[in-house]
Amino acid sequence: MASPSPHDRSAKTSGDGEEEDPVEQMISRTGCTEQHEALQDCMAEHRDWRVCQSYVGAFKKCMSDHHKARQEHLSQRQRMADSTPT
């Protein structure tokens, strides 16, 4: 049996039958789900991104903080790999 493609973008379903959005999955791995949901709620209510700027800023900061932490983690791993004798 062939293994699934890592590039398979087809929707997967959760146990309750709802499709799991790949974007939602990615955001959940960042720890920014709360900020993203608040932004989505604001946009659904107001339908104007200008009204939701505080939510946009909070989500952007969360994603930026996650990116910085991930970059630092990867840099540390690279430094450790470089210093390990072969």
Side-chain angles (χ1 to χ4, degrees):
M1 182 173 186
S3 61
S5 168
H7 302 289
D8 181 13
R9 301 273 188 239
S10 62
K12 307 222 183 326
T13 56
S14 64
D16 60 6
E18 285 190 29
E19 291 184 3
E20 294 180 21
D21 182 358
V23 173
E24 297 284 337
Q25 291 173 352
M26 183 273 305
I27 292 171
S28 72
R29 289 190 296 268
T30 67
C32 299
T33 301
E34 185 177 321
Q35 291 85 350
H36 184 252
E37 288 176 354
L39 175 56
Q40 285 184 314
D41 290 346
C42 182
M43 288 297 296
E45 181 180 344
H46 299 287
R47 300 192 186 281
D48 185 348
W49 63 270
R50 295 169 293 187
V51 175
C52 301
Q53 282 302 294
S54 63
Y55 297 101
V56 171
F59 180 60
K60 180 179 177 181
K61 180 180 182 328
C62 183
M63 292 296 287
S64 178
D65 291 348
H66 169 75
H67 179 73
K68 287 176 189 175
R70 179 161 167 71
Q71 289 299 109
E72 180 58 32
H73 174 74
L74 293 174
S75 293
Q76 286 177 344
R77 285 183 59 187
Q78 185 62 44
R79 285 192 299 270
M80 288 175 57
D82 290 345
S83 67
T84 304
T86 53

